[in-house]
């Protein structure tokens, strides 16, 4: 059984643009090796936004060398990028954006949600790419809630949505460059559930709400990340309260991680090149798509 290596939390919120009040739960600056291929996690919310005619969010900014994965629990996020990707994701939907060789994107609250307001909660992960894939062509996967397989866990323990990777017979719809498991769990108080992942892969549990206990006895509380050891294949979670949990794990990418701002590459020279390419317009611009179905 997997043991808990450590847990960590961040109670400090900061704003990304004017639409995302986030807590940065981890980044490659502190736990790169323990969490690879994941680089960073921002937890936005839970928050409530009042109705507004103003477009809240974050304007155009570049990325290169990795993917962003946005999971919406409540609210609505609209995305556009310079590679032509875009769409609106709502409760239960996931956006898997591969920046790779570089693009510029923007993220705002969706138009319907902006006008109505209400609860807002989302997670954004940065997922590293191997060196051989860092300069591939950008792509966008808009994954709808209804396309994500959902299974009941044994013994009434709750349910699991398989966003990426595999659980039992269910295969997640997300296309990934390296083997990744990304599961969305709803766990019922007092129940335990056991999971098997490949030995040697990283494994971490993030508790959005509730409280869970791992087999070695430690508890992981709301807005807290628990990182498990990579050695063993199975782990058991006991829900001490009704809990909403995100499991993330994958095959570690054993390459240098050099990041600065919106770019994550393998060397300082790569970062320098990324800034030059961005400044020279090589990552493109977000086209004027007024009158399209993107809501602007």
């Amino acid at each position: 059984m997997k043991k808990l290596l450590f847990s960590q939390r961040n109670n400090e919120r900061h704003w990304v643009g004017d639409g995302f009040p986030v807590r940065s739960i981890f980044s490659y600056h502190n736990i790169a090796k323990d969490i690879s291929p994941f680089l960073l996690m921002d937890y936005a919310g839970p928050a409530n936004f009042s109705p507004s005619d103003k477009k809240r969010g974050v304007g155009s900014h570049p990325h290169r060398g990795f993917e962003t994965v946005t999971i919406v629990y409540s609210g609505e996020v609209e995305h556009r990028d310079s590679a032509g990707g875009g769409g609106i994701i709502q409760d239960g939907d996931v956006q898997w954006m591969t920046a790779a060789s570089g693009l510029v994107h923007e993220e705002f609250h969706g138009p319907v949600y902006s006008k109505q307001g209400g609860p807002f909660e989302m997670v954004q992960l940065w997922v590293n790419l191997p060196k051989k894939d860092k300069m591939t062509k950008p792509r966008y996967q808009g994954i709808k809630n209804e396309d994500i397989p959902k299974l009941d866990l044994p013994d009434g323990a709750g349910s699991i949505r398989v966003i990426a990777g595999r659980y039992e017979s269910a295969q997640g719809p997300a296309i990934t460059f390296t083997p990744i498991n990304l599961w969305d769990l709803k766990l019922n108080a007092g129940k335990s559930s056991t999971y098997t992942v490949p030995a040697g892969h990283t494994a971490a549990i993030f508790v959005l709400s509730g409280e869970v206990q791992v087999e070695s006895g430690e508890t992981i509380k709301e807005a807290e990340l628990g990182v498990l050891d990579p050695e063993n294949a199975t782990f058991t979670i006991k829900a001490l309260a009704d809990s909403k949990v995100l499991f993330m794990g994958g095959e570690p990418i054993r390459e240098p991680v050099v990041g600065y701002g919106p770019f994550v590459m393998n060397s300082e020279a790569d970062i320098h090149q990324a800034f030059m390419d961005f400044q020279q317009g090589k990552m493109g611009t977000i086209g004027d798509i007024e009158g399209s179905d993107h809501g602007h």
Side-chain angles (χ1 to χ4, degrees):
M1 285 288 179
K2 288 184 174 295
K3 292 184 175 66
L4 183 73
L5 290 180
F6 60 88
S7 58
Q8 69 179 44
R9 62 185 303 117
N10 179 6
N11 296 323
E12 297 295 315
R13 286 193 187 194
H14 67 274
W15 283 88
V16 176
D18 62 358
F20 306 106
V22 308
R23 283 172 275 185
S24 295
I25 304 299
F26 67 80
S27 87
Y28 56 89
H29 294 301
N30 52 26
I31 58 168
K33 287 188 174 65
D34 300 308
I35 206 81
S36 178
F38 300 96
L39 292 165
L40 176 147
M41 177 181 183
D42 276 347
Y43 177 39
N48 258 289
F49 283 92
S50 53
S52 174
D53 291 325
K54 182 179 180 290
K55 201 166 74 163
R56 296 186 182 109
V58 59
S60 60
H61 58 282
H63 290 302
R64 172 179 279 180
F66 60 97
E67 305 179 288
T68 65
V69 178
T70 307
I71 306 164
V72 175
Y73 289 91
S74 54
E76 191 179 65
V77 177
E78 181 172 17
H79 161 90
R80 295 197 301 162
D81 67 50
S82 58
I88 294 175
I89 52 171
Q90 298 164 317
D91 300 13
D93 298 344
V94 176
Q95 168 199 298
W96 201 294
M97 185 196 80
T98 305
S101 62
L103 49 64
V104 174
H105 79 144
E106 62 176 34
E107 297 159 292
F108 286 96
H109 292 181
V112 174
Y113 173 76
S114 292
K115 286 186 175 68
Q116 293 175 350
F120 189 88
E121 186 178 24
M122 62 164 248
V123 164
Q124 185 170 91
L125 299 165
W126 288 12
V127 179
N128 201 11
L129 293 172
K131 185 175 184 176
K132 67 180 179 64
D133 297 316
K134 280 188 179 290
M135 294 299 287
T136 53
K137 195 176 160 193
R139 73 177 173 208
Y140 176 85
Q141 300 174 70
I143 303 168
K144 292 292 182 190
N145 184 21
E146 57 265 27
D147 297 326
I148 299 173
K150 183 178 175 182
L151 284 75
D152 289 328
L153 295 168
D155 305 320
S159 64
I160 180 171
R161 293 196 317 147
V162 184
I163 298 166
R166 177 174 284 278
Y167 171 82
E168 305 292 356
S169 61
Q171 177 71 42
I175 302 162
T176 66
F177 283 82
T178 57
I180 285 171
N181 281 308
L182 189 61
W183 303 335
D184 192 18
L185 307 171
K186 282 192 174 163
L187 305 177
N188 295 327
K191 298 282 188 175
S192 294
S193 46
T194 298
Y195 308 86
T196 302
V197 293
H201 281 205
T202 58
I205 298 160
F206 179 69
V207 179
L208 289 97
S209 63
E211 185 176 1
V212 303
Q213 186 176 44
V214 292
E215 200 154 9
S216 41
E218 300 95 340
T219 60
I220 306 165
K221 296 182 171 65
E222 194 166 286
E224 192 166 41
L225 180 85
V227 177
L228 305 174
D229 81 73
E231 305 310 317
N232 301 296
T234 60
F235 62 97
T236 297
I237 304 173
K238 181 179 182 181
L240 302 181
D242 286 349
S243 300
K244 195 163 63 172
V245 173
L246 185 66
F247 172 80
M248 64 200 89
E251 184 176 76
I253 299 170
R254 302 183 196 283
E255 295 173 354
V257 174
V258 179
Y260 191 88
F263 307 128
V264 182
M265 302 299 288
N266 299 107
S267 70
E268 295 285 351
D270 292 341
I271 295 293
H272 183 68
Q273 187 64 51
F275 273 103
M276 280 178 51
D277 290 349
F278 170 60
Q279 285 159 0
Q280 291 168 9
K282 291 180 181 174
M283 295 184 191
T285 55
I286 298 171
D288 180 12
I289 51 172
E290 293 293 336
S292 77
D293 60 358
H294 287 273
H296 291 314

